[in-house]
Amino acid sequence: VTGVPFDDRGFTLGDGLFETVLADAGRLVFWREHLGRLARGCASLGLPAPDAGACEAAAREALEAAGLAGTRAAVRLAWTAGSGGRGLDRPQPPAPRLVVTAAAAPRPSGSASLATASVRRNEGSPASRLKTLSYLDNVLARREARAAGADEALLLNNRGEVACAGAANLFWLGGGVLATPALDCGVLEGVVRAALIERARAAGVEVREVHAPRAELDQAEAIFVTNSLIGVRPVGRLDGRPLPQAEAGPLAEVAAGLA
Amino acid sequence: VTGVPFDDRGFTLGDGLFETVLADAGRLVFWREHLGRLARGCASLGLPAPDAGACEAAAREALEAAGLAGTRAAVRLAWTAGSGGRGLDRPQPPAPRLVVTAAAAPRPSGSASLATASVRRNEGSPASRLKTLSYLDNVLARREARAAGADEALLLNNRGEVACAGAANLFWLGGGVLATPALDCGVLEGVVRAALIERARAAGVEVREVHAPRAELDQAEAIFVTNSLIGVRPVGRLDGRPLPQAEAGPLAEVAAGLA
């Protein structure tokens, strides 16, 4: 097979899920958490979950094939609804397809700059809590951010609440409290998001999952984006405004080793 | 090539558009309108538009290859953002990919039954006005409708306004007025939708593009769904409630020959 069949529903309709896993010199970081989220996503979409052993074997094979087994790499697992006929209805039972690839993933340096996108996050769909093959809104938001001279987008939902970045979760600090948008804002259940919340609470930091208007970010003492490949990265600029304290955020100790 | 490359952004991110065109014994119905919409979608997404001649040649080739040149068929043109590296950012300039397939499309008989889905249409994204490869929300809405014993979904947007069906536009009649959701409700700019509005107005029917709450449909004298493959089809049942007058809708004459 040299590619995805033309009738694969992941291609024709974005009907499927993916995971991006950090491979650090062959170690699959947060592997169990990624597979757990994939399985929960499958339950939400009505798809059978993939076999964990087959996923790990494919991940290691993709790393070897790309010559990346000894370095810092991103493994991408796509789990599609499989081949299907014309139209929205899936064949019953669906026969999902696994596609695993690997690519180099150098650690980003410095802080991120964010620009608020006009594209809104769809809090009214369960897909907004999942890493799906229907990621066009994220692509469009990122495109807007690039056009504004930033390197990542800030997305609000249709209620105007802060939701997430284009490919990352969002955290901010204010008055000693660590805040992050609640999942029902239309937020991906991030693996690093969950780990950071847990570690921060274990370290005695108060963490709130919030429904916050955009203006709340202007009061933040520091803002961070998180995902499996960047870990916890400070935001140095939001809509052109510098955030001078971001580099010295008190999260550094809690965040160490998350990616 | 036996399939779509693993790094095609249509597959990895749903970054692309499609058109579904009715082929009636070799005639490509509303061909110019479909290509026009595809070009407008490309402008919205920041992609170059495909060459019209190449699209038509590929459509005819797909019909021949599938042995469907002499019958009623659906031609599906997918126009993806092309191959790209890891992440949301497109390569610059993007090199889009055209994938054209054909399938038999018998005319549906009888009326449609609709069930209101919990999945909401994302009025806050331009993608909600386009036929994109990120169609998972439509898949999930249809899945809900099937589970409720209906054959198509009714989607509201996040403001609670009526938007569309899972794979069709929506019209209803009341007090001599033909109503359809305004595009900014998160509605695909349907080819048959536009043709029906134009023909109805030419026939002296008042047409309103509206922002309507779900309750307004309970007052409708008749409801219809429209798309390029079904033309104008009456809705016989909405959320379990029969709509007895749907079959005798006064749109029959206006709608004749739309598919």
Side-chain angles (χ1 to χ4, degrees), chain A residues 2-4 12-14 46 74 76 86 88-89 120 122 124-125 133-137 142-143 146 158 166 229, chain B residues 2-4 12-14 46 74 76 86 88-89 120 122 124-125 133-137 142-143 146 158 166 229:
Chain A
T2 63
V4 183
T12 56
L13 297 163
R76 192 182 204 272
R86 207 182 61 70
L88 297 179
D89 296 309
R120 297 297 176 107
N122 188 11
S125 169
L133 297 176
S134 285
Y135 243 41
L136 182 56
D137 281 348
R142 172 69 66 82
R143 191 168 170 266
R146 290 284 185 195
N158 286 284
L229 295 183
Chain B
T2 64
V4 183
T12 56
L13 297 163
R76 191 182 205 271
R86 208 181 61 71
L88 297 178
D89 296 309
R120 297 297 175 105
N122 189 12
S125 169
L133 297 176
S134 286
Y135 243 39
L136 182 56
D137 281 349
R142 173 69 67 81
R143 190 167 172 266
R146 291 285 185 195
N158 287 285
L229 295 182

Side-chain angles (χ1 to χ4, degrees), chain A residues 76-172:
Chain A
R76 192 182 204 272
L77 296 99
W79 182 243
T80 83
S83 288
R86 207 182 61 70
L88 297 179
D89 296 309
R90 290 188 192 133
Q92 287 303 334
R97 177 170 287 123
L98 179 67
V99 175
V100 183
T101 55
R107 186 187 298 272
S109 60
S111 62
S113 64
L114 264 58
T116 306
S118 70
V119 175
R120 297 297 176 107
R121 193 82 182 162
N122 188 11
E123 72 274 16
S125 169
S128 68
R129 272 85 86 191
L130 305 173
K131 243 174 141 63
T132 81
L133 297 176
S134 285
Y135 243 41
L136 182 56
D137 281 348
N138 304 57
V139 172
L140 296 178
R142 172 69 66 82
R143 191 168 170 266
E144 280 189 72
R146 290 284 185 195
D151 48 35
E152 178 57 299
L154 169 69
L155 282 108
L156 313 178
N157 65 20
N158 286 284
R159 294 189 296 253
E161 298 160 343
V162 174
C164 54
N169 287 106
L170 204 72
F171 285 84
W172 62 95

Side-chain angles (χ1 to χ4, degrees), chain B residues 133-175:
Chain B
L133 297 176
S134 286
Y135 243 39
L136 182 56
D137 281 349
N138 305 55
V139 171
L140 296 179
R142 173 69 67 81
R143 190 167 172 266
E144 281 189 70
R146 291 285 185 195
D151 48 35
E152 178 56 298
L154 169 69
L155 281 108
L156 313 178
N157 65 20
N158 287 285
R159 294 189 296 253
E161 299 161 342
V162 174
C164 55
N169 287 107
L170 205 71
F171 285 85
W172 61 94
L173 280 163

Side-chain angles (χ1 to χ4, degrees), chain B residues 210-223:
Chain B
V210 299
H211 298 79
R214 165 67 185 79
E216 190 165 319
L217 291 183
D218 291 330
Q219 313 301 321
E221 293 154 23
I223 305 178

Side-chain angles (χ1 to χ4, degrees), chain B residues 2-259:
Chain B
T2 64
V4 183
F6 292 144
D7 68 352
D8 185 274
R9 294 172 55 91
F11 173 64
T12 56
L13 297 163
D15 188 6
L17 297 163
F18 72 98
E19 289 289 329
T20 307
V21 183
L22 175 64
D24 191 7
R27 186 173 63 97
L28 297 168
V29 181
F30 288 121
W31 178 252
R32 197 171 43 87
E33 287 79 2
H34 282 286
L35 282 203
R37 179 173 64 183
L38 184 53
R40 287 191 297 280
C42 286
S44 176
L45 298 190
L47 294 174
D51 176 74
C55 286
E56 182 166 349
R60 300 206 176 279
E61 192 179 327
L63 284 167
E64 289 290 344
L68 294 167
T71 181
R72 197 178 193 278
V75 174
R76 191 182 205 271
L77 296 99
W79 182 244
T80 83
S83 288
R86 208 181 61 71
L88 297 178
D89 296 309
R90 291 187 191 134
Q92 286 304 333
R97 178 171 285 122
L98 179 67
V99 174
V100 182
T101 55
R107 187 187 296 274
S109 60
S111 61
S113 65
L114 263 59
T116 306
S118 70
V119 175
R120 297 297 175 105
R121 193 82 181 162
N122 189 12
E123 73 274 17
S125 169
S128 68
R129 274 84 86 191
L130 304 173
K131 245 174 138 64
T132 80
L133 297 176
S134 286
Y135 243 39
L136 182 56
D137 281 349
N138 305 55
V139 171
L140 296 179
R142 173 69 67 81
R143 190 167 172 266
E144 281 189 70
R146 291 285 185 195
D151 48 35
E152 178 56 298
L154 169 69
L155 281 108
L156 313 178
N157 65 20
N158 287 285
R159 294 189 296 253
E161 299 161 342
V162 174
C164 55
N169 287 107
L170 205 71
F171 285 85
W172 61 94
L173 280 163
V177 173
L178 181 61
T180 193
L183 294 179
D184 66 9
C185 292
V187 171
L188 177 70
E189 180 203 332
V191 163
V192 170
R193 175 185 182 278
L196 183 58
I197 290 174
E198 188 185 322
R199 290 191 189 188
R201 284 180 174 153
V205 177
E206 184 184 349
V207 183
R208 288 192 201 143
E209 298 184 73
V210 299
H211 298 79
R214 165 67 185 79
E216 190 165 319
L217 291 183
D218 291 330
Q219 313 301 321
E221 293 154 23
I223 305 178
F224 305 86
V225 284
T226 69
N227 73 27
S228 289
L229 295 182
I230 62 178
V232 180
R233 189 184 186 197
V235 175
R237 189 174 283 269
L238 173 59
D239 290 330
R241 185 174 65 87
L243 299 169
Q245 298 180 37
E247 296 289 352
L251 274 188
E253 198 173 329
V254 173
L258 280 175

